[in-house]
Amino acid sequence: VAGCIVDERRTVFLPFSIVDAVVDGSVGRSCRHADTSVCQSLAVDGLADRHLHACHLSRVLCLGEWHDEEAEVSVSCFQLILLQHIGSNSMLAEDYSPNRLERAKLAITRLVDKLRDDRIGLIVFAGNSFVQLPITTDYVSAKMFLNSISTESVPVQGTAMGDAISTAMKSFSLQSEKSRAVIVITDGENHEDDPVSAAQQAAELGVRVFTIGVGSPEGKPIPFEGELLKDKNGEIVVTRLDESILRDVADAGNGLST
């Protein structure tokens, strides 16, 4: 599926993945042809079996000056903030091995390994959100902070995507106001605020919001203290990927969902 980008001059169709655009290191310099190893590495991570394997999203993270011949885009100092959902027991579900959260962390680590000179930040969220890593080009520190997060890193359980997006908007530096994006990584379940409005406000300020779903629509039970989590009626709780809210957030944020 080819996505399109519209600027003041023309519309450009680029049949590549938003994940490719970041992971292959082209963001911040130039966006040419997708590196198929990107999809292969994400497949190894376990996040591609349903959502990323097709490399079907466009390279819409590439913002800046367009060139006619090769649909190449050049930007200076791209800023990307990742919003990682950690504070919900649902992120411990084992749709992926060993669980949703650890696979998401591995995929982000591989993404960071491909960045060059671009700025990256990390926000973790549950019932509220906080900045785990301010915008930086220190990729070693980024991976260290990433490896340290767990479902116990935040005191309040939940899925406050809207709060996380708002926190991201306050975290961008003043540089490269036209080259900013947010990627929300979550199962989307039990969202408790208004992430669609937050994404729309971000888009109005020129920040594009993308979502990556972690989980499966059919769902999985949640490991809890050596057993499976049960509700008040004694029934096993099954956590499912909420694709609809992730699509709505991405649509409102002028981004894409995968």
Side-chain angles (χ1 to χ4, degrees), residues 122-145:
L122 176 64
I123 290 173
V124 295
F125 70 97
N128 51 26
S129 62
F130 66 90
V131 178
Q132 180 78 2
L133 178 72
I135 285 284
T136 183
T137 55
D138 184 350
Y139 304 136
V140 174
S141 293
K143 290 190 288 186
M144 289 178 59
F145 278 102

Side-chain angles (χ1 to χ4, degrees), residues 95-159:
D95 306 75
Y96 311 113
S97 177
N99 57 48
R100 294 175 182 176
L101 177 58
E102 292 303 316
R103 283 296 178 171
K105 288 165 60 176
L106 178 57
I108 294 173
T109 296
R110 293 191 175 187
L111 183 155
V112 172
D113 285 339
K114 298 295 184 178
L115 295 179
R116 298 292 184 273
D117 301 323
D118 305 299
R119 294 176 179 269
I120 188 171
L122 176 64
I123 290 173
V124 295
F125 70 97
N128 51 26
S129 62
F130 66 90
V131 178
Q132 180 78 2
L133 178 72
I135 285 284
T136 183
T137 55
D138 184 350
Y139 304 136
V140 174
S141 293
K143 290 190 288 186
M144 289 178 59
F145 278 102
L146 177 66
N147 289 334
S148 70
I149 64 175
S150 70
T151 55
E152 299 177 353
S153 297
V154 291
V156 182
Q157 289 279 306
T159 313

